[in-house]
Amino acid sequence: MILHRLMLIADREGTNGRPLADVIVRAANGVGGRLMVQLRDRDLGDVEVMSLIRAVQRRVPPQTVLMVNNRPDIARAIEIGLHLPAAADTPRGQYLLLGRSVHDAREADIALGDEVDYAIVGTVFETTSHPGRVGAGLTHLSDIRALMGNIACYAIGGITVDNAPSVIEAGAWGVAVRSAILSADDPSEAAYRLHSSLPQ
């Protein structure tokens, strides 16, 4: 499974009223499909989530990688990736792709025990969703990256075109963003600019 360097955390709240599937498709098209998409809409039921994912699958380029947050049954049923929050129990079974959120050494150990394919590490910088909360910083990102060995790490939290190169220099494989794409006037252009700021 190819791990693209740009990941979109997708939910309906961040789209400014636009259909989530449309925003995801525009973002994916903006980078030629080289996008990881993690659907994290906690307010939707399983049937609605599956319907949304199938609608996206039909419209994005084939190389776009789709995942669902903390719904192992759905991930297995439609053969997509599964992302686990840091506090989630380890699910049974095999998954097309498995990732976890990691904030400290204990959570890194759990992720390694799960034999994850990637980890999302943060919060690196201050975010608009949590103004005033200081980010963990680049040194923290580097420290977690060292603990994760060869596992790909995605930096999350306040990532912009300007600071994305710094998290790569600190050891991240890629970046995970939400509002930077979801809330952008042009999700396609926003995804393109972020992707262009990363190693190709």
Side-chain angles (χ1 to χ4, degrees):
M1 174 65 67
I2 295 175
L3 295 177
H4 303 302
R5 291 187 184 267
L6 179 60
M7 182 184 297
L8 170 61
I9 313 297
D11 62 67
R12 293 170 300 157
E13 291 183 8
T15 65
N16 297 326
R18 296 169 295 187
L20 179 55
D22 290 353
V23 175
I24 293 172
V25 171
R26 289 177 65 186
N29 287 337
V31 294
R34 292 169 293 177
L35 182 68
M36 314 280 287
V37 179
Q38 181 198 142
L39 185 67
R40 190 183 67 182
D41 209 315
R42 301 182 181 95
D43 296 330
L44 289 178
D46 286 354
V47 173
E48 294 170 301
V49 169
M50 291 180 71
S51 177
L52 174 59
I53 292 171
R54 291 190 188 282
V56 170
Q57 282 179 316
R58 289 192 294 268
R59 297 172 58 193
V60 294
Q63 59 268 43
T64 303
V65 177
L66 301 180
M67 299 165 285
V68 66
N69 184 288
N70 205 26
R71 303 209 192 193
D73 291 344
I74 291 178
R76 285 196 303 269
I78 56 179
E79 298 182 336
I80 63 172
L82 174 66
H83 181 82
L84 297 171
D89 293 334
T90 300
R92 296 180 179 179
Q94 298 293 316
Y95 299 88
L96 189 66
L97 186 69
L98 183 63
R100 251 193 195 279
S101 296
V102 172
H103 305 92
D104 55 36
R106 182 186 65 83
E107 292 172 0
D109 284 341
I110 293 171
L112 289 169
D114 288 343
E115 298 183 349
V116 296
D117 299 293
Y118 72 86
I120 294 181
V121 181
T123 303
V124 178
F125 304 114
E126 182 178 338
T127 69
T128 55
S129 59
H130 297 94
R133 181 186 296 178
V134 178
L138 295 174
T139 299
H140 175 77
L141 171 62
S142 295
D143 290 345
I144 297 297
R145 171 66 186 85
L147 293 173
M148 295 304 298
N150 293 325
I151 304 300
C153 291
Y154 288 82
I156 194 170
I159 304 297
T160 66
V161 170
D162 293 331
N163 63 31
S166 68
V167 301
I168 301 299
E169 291 175 7
W173 165 253
V175 300
V177 301
R178 178 180 173 268
S179 58
I181 292 176
L182 284 186
S183 300
D185 291 338
D186 186 344
S188 177
E189 174 67 17
Y192 174 80
R193 292 182 68 238
L194 275 165
H195 188 268
S196 297
S197 73
L198 303 170
Q200 304 302 306

